[in-house]
Amino acid sequence: MGILPSRRAIEHAGIAATALLALVMLGFIVLYWLQDFPVASGLYEQYRAFGRLMDAALGTNVFRHPFMWQSMSTGVFVGIVAPLVGTYLVHREMALIGETLAHTAFAGVAVGFLVGGVTGWDVPVLLSALVVAVLGALGVEWLAEHTDTYGDVPIAIMLTGSFAVGTLLISYGRGYTGINIESYLFGSLAVVTVEGARLMAILSVIVVGIIAATYKQMLFITFDEQAARVARLDVTWYNTLLIVMTAVVVVGAMQVLGIILVAAMLVIPVATATQLARSFRETLYLSIIFGQLAIIGGFAISVHQGLPSGGSIVIVAIALYLLAIGLAGRSNPLATR
């Protein structure tokens, strides 16, 4: 009996630390946005000063710069919302949807580059990726509801089709403008813009709010969809909501993880949590904690070694997964659902 309070205390401390870190990063986003105002300007300089202290302590020269705070804030938000949404996807055996929407977002990036190159307009690539990813999510749900194909066929069609469209657009667009797609494919701290960090902050608050408001309904549908239909829940609406939230998370995470690796943060922290968790709620908590550890550890490796952020984060996430397997030492029923 003495172990359980200690276990809960550690989990609650981890969630509290994550929430505090998210608030600090949200504060930076808001202050950077409002830095022209006197009060906000003074508080914003405190962030810059703290960054210089971090550089002095760690022997680096990056934390004093706003772009690093933008990248860190985006990473912190991804470390929360990706495992949060991913927990529902994994337990519903829909892990592949994250990879599918990542490829759809790739087509959106290609659309943004091409339109900007052809027209000369300053098209926000992240916004075009978000629009196309959400449309792709709605398309997957429509195919699942209106066709007689097996469950994962619409997902496979959207995955391959969107990537095919993206490659064609990228190839065609090279004749109009120099397209550097590599940073979006593999992830880069330099990809995160002010607008991208701001958009990720807003979308993260919305996703967390939706999950909190619909927790009971989502839980019901996750473990017994047929019973939810009998209870007259609008299952189609909640399924669509989940897939759209996945698209939102994928586009935000794409900035630091890259299109190729973005699905990892939807799956690996959740898989790690299921090795240790004893309930669905505990899986949610632990997946967020492991997601945050992966983000922080991956950022540390990326900054120290000058490596891509996406690969660094995923390697840390896998290391945590292997560690959890070693620590589990018992069969977990949630891990096999």
Side-chain angles (χ1 to χ4, degrees), residues 1 14 16 44 52 62 121 123 160 169-170 196 212 221 225 229 237 266 268 317 323 336:
M1 295 295 291
Y44 169 70
R52 288 190 287 270
V62 292
W121 298 343
V123 179
T160 53
L169 292 177
I170 289 293
I221 294 170
E225 184 172 315
R229 292 184 185 275
W237 161 250
L266 290 166
I268 299 176
L323 179 62
T336 59

Side-chain angles (χ1 to χ4, degrees), residues 9-25 76 80 288-289 292-293 296:
I10 293 173
E11 292 170 1
H12 291 164
I15 291 296
T18 299
L20 179 60
L21 183 60
L23 288 174
V24 169
M25 294 303 172
V76 167
I80 294 172
I288 292 172
I289 293 170
Q292 210 57 240
L293 290 174
I296 294 171

Side-chain angles (χ1 to χ4, degrees), residues 18-92:
T18 299
L20 179 60
L21 183 60
L23 288 174
V24 169
M25 294 303 172
L26 186 61
F28 169 79
I29 297 297
V30 172
L31 292 174
Y32 190 87
W33 195 354
L34 303 176
Q35 63 178 299
D36 291 336
F37 295 91
V39 175
S41 177
L43 293 173
Y44 169 70
E45 285 304 318
Q46 296 300 313
Y47 277 88
R48 299 289 300 275
F50 182 70
R52 288 190 287 270
L53 288 176
M54 290 180 63
D55 282 331
L58 300 174
T60 58
N61 188 31
V62 292
F63 294 103
R64 68 189 65 195
H65 302 297
F67 86 89
M68 190 61 194
W69 283 90
Q70 292 163 196
S71 300
M72 290 191 301
S73 63
T74 302
V76 167
F77 298 140
V78 168
I80 294 172
V81 294
L84 191 61
V85 172
T87 301
Y88 291 95
L89 296 178
V90 169
H91 285 85
R92 298 191 65 181

Side-chain angles (χ1 to χ4, degrees), residues 175-193:
Y176 293 92
T177 182
I179 297 177
N180 179 20
I181 196 67
E182 285 77 13
S183 294
Y184 289 93
L185 287 175
F186 305 113
S188 172
L189 300 181
V191 168
V192 183
T193 62

Side-chain angles (χ1 to χ4, degrees), residues 191-276:
V191 168
V192 183
T193 62
V194 176
E195 293 77 13
R198 191 179 301 160
L199 180 63
M200 188 62 203
I202 295 171
L203 294 176
S204 296
V205 172
I206 293 173
V207 168
V208 171
I210 290 174
I211 292 293
T214 62
Y215 174 78
K216 291 182 179 179
Q217 294 90 332
M218 289 287 194
L219 182 63
F220 192 6
I221 294 170
T222 295
F223 287 101
D224 199 338
E225 184 172 315
Q226 291 305 316
R229 292 184 185 275
V230 171
R232 297 189 177 181
L233 274 181
D234 192 346
V235 173
T236 300
W237 161 250
Y238 286 109
N239 285 340
T240 302
L241 186 63
L242 178 61
I243 292 179
V244 169
M245 286 193 294
T246 305
V248 168
V249 171
V250 162
V251 172
M254 178 182 72
Q255 299 175 86
V256 293
L257 286 166
I259 293 165
I260 293 176
L261 298 174
V262 69
M265 281 301 289
L266 290 166
V267 176
I268 299 176
V270 182
T272 306
T274 57
Q275 297 299 316
L276 303 171

